[in-house]
Amino acid sequence: MYGEVVSARRLTPHLVRVVLGGPGLDDFVLGEDADQYVNCFFLPDAAPYSVPFEDEVVRALPREQRPFPRRITVRAWDAERRELTLDIAAHGDVGYAGRWAARARAGDRLQLRGPAGGYRPHADADSYLFVGDESALPAIAACAEAVPAGRRVVVVVEVEDAAGEVELGSPGELEVHWVHRAGRHDGLDDLLAEAVAALPRPAGVVSAFVHGEAAETRAVRRVLLREGLVEQERLSCSPYWRRGMDDEAWRAVKAAWVRETAADPVG
Ligand SMILES: Cc1cc2nc3c(=O)[nH]c(=O)nc-3n(C[C@H](O)[C@H](O)[C@H](O)COP(=O)(O)OP(=O)(O)OC[C@H]3O[C@@H](n4cnc5c(N)ncnc54)[C@H](O)[C@@H]3O)c2cc1C
């Protein structure tokens, strides 16, 4: 399956909205979850093939010539126009997904697989809490839009600065807290956790997710469980990426990290 770029524009200095369309998406079927992702395949600069490509053909190539898979959230799927919207973090002149998005032009093609499911706001919750960085903003925005009307939705998002903030909408009663890195590169692991710890204690049953940088999501998870703010079965914690590692290096250690996180003392 592949999409052709219909439009690409900066939502913020660090987030690019890419809308894909065309006959290559004819087989795209959205699942039930509010938070779903597609596996996108980004080509290395001197790839001796183009999109669409056959998996068997690229699999036979040397590693550095094969496409680089990256998971990206389905920000929106317009079933009538058959257009898929992805919001991709442009994080400097590194990485395959970020650089592709920053340079994307109408007509560019992106091969993808999926979608697969993630989190769905629990229908029986009294309130919702969604926490993450720019990479989680598409999931946060999609889930804020999918909660039952009238319920409380608290969102905590880390971005670089005020220019990184976007308009969010929800049928719920939405409260958004923006956390700014403000040029800092070190000591970021607890930034979101401190913001979450400072929130007023929610009443009733909470459904929550925390997605984004691995150490940050882990720190937030610890706070949420230690303080008893969310029951473990209503908390989704997804370490999307790890500072200092590309996705290949991160995927090699991710399972061990997730196991260690599950064993974190939270009592
Ligand atoms: C289920 C799921 C859904 C996701 N949805 C989205 C989404 O909708 N939008 C999105 O942008 N990302 C999303 N991500 C995260 C994305 O897959 C990773 O951030 C991926 O590493 C980006 O690939 P890249 O090729 O740009 O950078 P890589 O080649 O993986 O990394 C290059 C360098 O950039 C750093 N880096 C990677 N991501 C970021 C970042 N966001 N900010 C700062 N530095 C970074 C790495 O640590 C490394 O040093 C999702 C991940 C998962 C697992």
Side-chain angles (χ1 to χ4, degrees), residues 15 35-38 42 68 70-75 86-91 94-99 133-139 181 238-248 250 254:
L15 199 62
D35 177 13
Q36 300 181 51
Y37 65 87
V38 283
F42 296 94
F68 289 81
R70 298 289 185 261
R71 288 178 176 183
I72 301 294
T73 302
V74 173
R75 173 63 187 89
L86 308 176
D87 292 349
I88 303 178
H91 48 92
V94 289
Y96 290 94
R99 280 187 305 143
D133 57 18
E134 286 95 347
S135 67
L137 203 39
R181 286 189 295 277
S238 184
Y240 281 177
W241 64 282
R242 178 77 177 110
R243 194 167 284 115
M245 291 184 186
D246 64 18
D247 207 43
E248 282 63 43
W250 171 234
K254 187 173 175 179

Side-chain angles (χ1 to χ4, degrees), residues 20-33:
L20 299 170
L25 290 179
D26 279 353
D27 293 335
F28 189 89
V29 180
L30 195 68
E32 294 290 316
D33 289 332

Side-chain angles (χ1 to χ4, degrees), residues 91-119:
H91 48 92
D93 202 25
V94 289
Y96 290 94
R99 280 187 305 143
W100 179 86
R103 298 170 187 170
R105 298 283 174 271
D108 289 355
R109 291 175 170 187
L110 180 63
Q111 191 140 328
L112 50 92
R113 217 180 276 155
Y119 165 91

Side-chain angles (χ1 to χ4, degrees), residues 79-208:
E80 222 163 88
R81 300 171 71 99
R82 303 204 61 77
E83 286 182 355
L84 177 66
T85 300
L86 308 176
D87 292 349
I88 303 178
H91 48 92
D93 202 25
V94 289
Y96 290 94
R99 280 187 305 143
W100 179 86
R103 298 170 187 170
R105 298 283 174 271
D108 289 355
R109 291 175 170 187
L110 180 63
Q111 191 140 328
L112 50 92
R113 217 180 276 155
Y119 165 91
R120 176 190 314 195
H122 296 84
D124 63 347
D126 298 299
S127 70
Y128 301 89
L129 173 64
F130 305 139
V131 184
D133 57 18
E134 286 95 347
S135 67
L137 203 39
I140 291 171
C143 288
E145 288 168 4
V147 303
R151 290 193 217 165
R152 190 153 184 267
V153 187
V154 178
V155 161
V156 184
V157 195
E158 177 194 310
V159 293
E160 183 53 38
D161 51 29
E165 299 177 8
V166 298
E167 188 93 19
L168 295 171
S170 175
E173 289 181 11
L174 182 63
E175 178 184 314
V176 185
H177 301 262
W178 296 100
V179 178
H180 295 165
R181 286 189 295 277
R184 272 176 291 173
H185 297 284
D186 299 317
L188 296 171
D189 289 1
D190 291 318
L191 206 56
L192 278 171
E194 282 163 12
V196 167
L199 293 173
R201 209 180 169 81
V205 175
V206 180
S207 168

